Amino acid sequence: MEYVYKSAEDLPPFLNALQISAFLGISKTNIYALMNSAGFPTVRVGKRMIVEKEKLLKWLDENAAK
């Protein structure tokens, strides 16, 4: 499945790695590395990793200048 997002408003409430990759234009490999890093708002549900939309947008705002 291919995900296409024109703006943050188009995002679902929770995102998986493929959805984040499509939104940010970053490879899936880099997204998985990011999702496994300290400080990134990843939620683990069993083996699944998801990110709440609002926490992702907040993280992006806080880390955009770094």
Side-chain angles (χ1 to χ4, degrees), residues 1 6 18-19 21-22 24-26 28 46 55-56 62:
M1 176 176 216
K6 294 181 182 179
L18 295 175
Q19 292 167 314
S21 175
L24 297 179
I26 299 172
K28 186 174 69 169
K55 290 184 179 181
L56 172 64
E62 292 172 352

Side-chain angles (χ1 to χ4, degrees), residues 19-32:
Q19 292 167 314
I20 297 169
S21 175
F23 178 61
L24 297 179
I26 299 172
S27 74
K28 186 174 69 169
T29 301
N30 286 335
I31 293 299
Y32 279 119

Side-chain angles (χ1 to χ4, degrees), residues 20 23-24 26 30-31 33-42 51-66:
I20 297 169
F23 178 61
L24 297 179
I26 299 172
N30 286 335
I31 293 299
L34 188 59
M35 291 178 86
N36 283 305
S37 67
F40 193 77
T42 304
V51 178
E52 186 178 350
K53 170 186 171 177
E54 297 306 321
K55 290 184 179 181
L56 172 64
L57 297 175
K58 181 181 178 189
W59 185 90
L60 288 170
D61 284 340
E62 292 172 352
N63 292 278
K66 292 182 181 178

Side-chain angles (χ1 to χ4, degrees), residues 36-52:
N36 283 305
S37 67
F40 193 77
T42 304
V43 175
R44 296 181 189 277
V45 180
K47 292 184 178 185
R48 273 190 78 183
M49 292 188 295
I50 57 174
V51 178
E52 186 178 350

